[in-house]
């Protein structure tokens, strides 16, 4: 009579054991797909902004490169760390720009690993939790980022996001003025001096501390905020507003144009056309608010602090992009190079929604999860379509 339960138990154990391997294999497919995408469609051709990098190469080989050259402003950005990496790669590869693409790929892998570990610490590593995380992996490596994937210059975007995530990851472990806090501050500096949006790692980190620490916040907030203030001051030393202003300050009907631009930018990871992106942005903001409201109701803001901080960062990025680029028109809001920032909102909303059905019984939470999952699926599919189309077009052109 005991053989039947034993058989069922063994089947469940086998499912858990082999299921983890299956899910792990499926999780490896997206980064491998991106690597294959670079192999098939990446071209070793210097493009647009990269031509401004060529004089630095000349100075490096002539021995006249200075710290001022590294710190120099590029548009709004201080791309100190990307310049150092690109100079090193150029020296090793004789400036083969596909090396930059694969470096961005490696940085993205590292970022995904940190996000997964923060998820694992909160949800465990069971078959179910790993299965729920799988759509997040596919979204994070979405080919909707085709501009950033196939343009080595955009290493700055991936490095900035890595700095943000690494900062949150180390703040999650910091208990005071310790090595983890020092690492979080250094990661914030990395984000800040990789891309201008990286400066938003500081307010995002402060939000994370405020939400995740019921007590003892000041031991983290004070040094982290001070480091952020110093980073802002150093960043803007000698900073000049770029010529040919594209910001909201020079835009007719700034409120109406900015609202549309913002919503399209928010929805850009999920669509390839402005109308669909606008609708997706509105729906996504509404859906993302629901897990946040449940977190407030369930008193789980601390548990969800990493995802709320990533949400805040993504929305702040959309706001900054709107402020700085709205004059270029609504098509600019849809640009692929911004989606690495904006998909973080979708990713965070999904991870929070994935935890809803297990909190308590009811129909609303599974429905919310299903709706957010549908948005993620939409982003993955549109990314595949848009990425392959762009890659083929780029390869044929070059």
């Amino acid at each position: 009579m005991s053989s039947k339960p034993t058989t069922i138990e063994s089947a469940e154990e086998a499912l858990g054991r082999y299921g983890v391997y299956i899910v792990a294999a499926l999780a490896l497919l997206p980064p491998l797909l991106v690597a294959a995408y670079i192999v098939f469609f990446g071209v070793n051709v210097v493009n647009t902004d990269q031509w401004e990098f060529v004089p630095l190469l000349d100075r490096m080989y002539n021995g006249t490169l200075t710290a001022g050259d590294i710190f120099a402003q590029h548009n709004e950005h201080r791309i100190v760390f990307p310049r150092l990496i690109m100079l090193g790669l150029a020296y090793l590869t004789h400036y083969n720009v596909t090396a930059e693409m694969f470096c961005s790929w490696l940085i993205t892998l590292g970022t995904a690993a940190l996000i997964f570990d923060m998820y694992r610490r909160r949800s465990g590593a069971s078959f179910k939790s790993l299965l729920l995380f799988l759509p997040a992996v596919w979204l994070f490596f979405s080919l909707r980022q085709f501009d950033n994937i196939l343009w080595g210059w955009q290493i700055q975007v991936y490095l900035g996001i890595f700095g943000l995530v690494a900062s949150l990851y180390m703040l999650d472990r910091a208990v005071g003025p310790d090595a983890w806090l020092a690492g979080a501050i250094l990661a914030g500096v990395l984000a800040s001096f990789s891309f201008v949006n990286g400066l938003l790692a500081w307010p995002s980190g402060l939000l994370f501390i405020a939400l995740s620490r019921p007590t003892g916040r000041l031991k983290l907030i004070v040094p982290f905020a001070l480091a952020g203030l110093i980073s802002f001051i150093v960043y803007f030393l000698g900073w000049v507003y770029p010529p040919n202003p594209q910001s909201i300050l020079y835009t007719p009907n700034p409120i109406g144009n900015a609202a549309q631009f913002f919503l399209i930018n928010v929805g850009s990871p999920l669509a390839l056309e402005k109308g669909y992106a606008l609708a997706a942005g509105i729906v996504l903001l509404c859906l993302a608010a629901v897990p946040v409201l449940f977190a407030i109701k369930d008193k789980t803001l601390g548990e969800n602090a990493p995802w709320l901080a990533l949400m805040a960062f993504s929305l702040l990025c959309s706001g900054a992009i709107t402020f700085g680029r709205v004059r270029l028109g609504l098509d600019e809001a849809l640009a692929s190079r911004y989606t690495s920032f904006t998909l973080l909102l979708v990713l965070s909303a999904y991870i929070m929604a994935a935890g809803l059905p297990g909190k308590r019984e009811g129909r609303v939470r599974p429905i919310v999860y299903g709706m957010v999952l549908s948005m993620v699926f939409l982003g993955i599919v549109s990314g595949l379509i848009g990425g392959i189309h762009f890659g083929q077009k780029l390869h044929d052109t070059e």
Side-chain angles (χ1 to χ4, degrees):
M1 294 181 65
S2 62
S3 60
K4 188 174 181 180
T6 304
T7 303
I8 295 174
E9 183 179 352
S10 299
E12 291 176 347
E13 289 176 354
L15 177 62
R17 183 169 64 254
Y18 294 111
V20 168
Y21 296 141
I22 294 171
V23 172
L26 291 174
L28 288 174
L29 279 179
L32 291 176
L33 176 64
V34 173
Y37 186 66
I38 295 171
V39 171
F40 281 106
F41 298 120
V43 290
N44 182 25
V45 176
V46 176
N47 185 28
T48 56
D49 290 21
Q50 287 173 318
W51 285 109
E52 297 183 27
F53 183 68
V54 173
L56 268 69
L57 295 177
D58 185 57
R59 291 171 201 164
M60 179 179 70
Y61 284 111
N62 291 333
T64 58
L65 188 67
T66 66
D69 294 325
I70 303 298
F71 187 72
Q73 189 177 333
H74 175 79
N75 294 333
E76 303 94 336
H77 315 288
R78 302 278 193 191
I79 54 173
V80 174
F81 296 105
R83 277 190 178 121
L84 291 173
I85 292 175
M86 288 188 291
L87 284 169
L89 290 173
Y91 181 80
L92 293 173
T93 66
H94 303 289
Y95 201 31
N96 184 332
V97 295
T98 57
E100 296 173 351
M101 301 175 202
F102 279 107
C103 185
S104 293
W105 178 75
L106 288 173
I107 293 169
T108 309
L109 275 178
T111 307
L114 295 179
I115 291 173
F116 171 72
D117 199 50
M118 286 191 289
Y119 172 83
R120 181 195 58 80
R121 291 188 69 194
R122 288 159 173 79
S123 302
S126 66
F127 171 71
K128 179 182 177 181
S129 64
L130 293 176
L131 187 63
L132 287 172
F133 189 74
L134 192 58
V137 179
W138 279 83
L139 177 69
F140 192 68
F141 287 92
S142 169
L143 295 186
R144 182 68 179 85
Q145 307 168 82
F146 47 78
D147 264 340
N148 294 339
I149 296 170
L150 295 181
W151 189 18
W153 178 257
Q154 294 299 90
I155 191 173
Q156 57 197 276
V157 168
Y158 289 117
L159 202 60
I161 293 173
F162 173 79
L164 160 76
V165 173
S167 185
L168 296 178
Y169 181 85
M170 286 184 269
L171 284 174
D172 199 23
R173 287 158 173 73
V175 294
D178 54 15
W180 287 112
L181 178 59
I185 289 171
L186 290 175
V189 172
L190 172 65
S192 300
F193 292 92
S194 293
F195 199 80
V196 67
N197 289 18
L199 289 168
L200 300 174
W202 301 105
S204 302
L206 290 172
L207 175 65
F208 174 83
I209 296 170
L211 293 175
S212 63
R213 298 293 191 277
T215 59
R217 298 188 186 109
L218 288 180
K219 293 186 295 183
L220 298 175
I221 286 177
V222 172
F224 192 80
L226 181 60
L229 177 61
I230 294 171
S231 294
F232 269 85
I233 292 172
V234 172
Y235 190 96
F236 287 105
L237 284 175
W239 191 86
V240 179
Y241 195 85
N244 300 319
Q246 304 159 344
S247 76
I248 194 173
L249 301 177
Y250 301 88
T251 305
N253 185 23
I255 296 177
N257 288 337
Q260 289 185 74
F261 192 103
F262 178 82
L263 290 170
I264 291 171
N265 187 250
V266 168
S268 61
L270 307 175
L272 299 169
E273 297 181 2
K274 286 181 293 186
Y276 293 122
L278 178 63
I282 295 171
V283 173
L284 176 59
L285 287 176
C286 295
L287 283 178
V290 177
V292 177
L293 293 174
F294 273 121
I296 295 171
K297 179 182 178 182
D298 297 339
K299 298 181 180 180
T300 57
L301 289 174
E303 178 184 332
N304 288 291
W307 324 127
L308 292 167
L310 286 177
M311 274 189 183
F313 176 81
S314 181
L315 290 171
L316 287 171
C317 284
S318 288
I321 293 164
T322 300
F323 180 88
R325 293 290 184 267
V326 65
R327 196 183 179 206
L328 294 177
L330 298 181
D331 286 331
E332 182 70 8
L334 203 60
S336 171
R337 61 185 178 278
Y338 302 136
T339 55
S340 298
F341 297 114
T342 53
L343 66 76
L344 294 175
L345 174 63
V346 192
L347 178 83
S348 302
Y350 170 77
I351 291 176
M352 290 185 67
L356 288 178
K359 296 296 182 183
R360 65 178 67 165
E361 296 299 325
R363 295 181 179 180
V364 175
R365 296 172 187 241
I367 290 173
V368 171
Y369 170 71
M371 294 176 70
V372 178
L373 178 61
S374 298
M375 299 293 281
V376 171
F377 180 75
L378 179 66
I380 294 168
V381 172
S382 65
L384 282 170
I385 295 170
I388 292 172
H389 175 75
F390 176 83
Q392 188 63 60
K393 182 179 177 181
L394 177 66
H395 193 269
D396 291 345
T397 302
E398 300 299 341

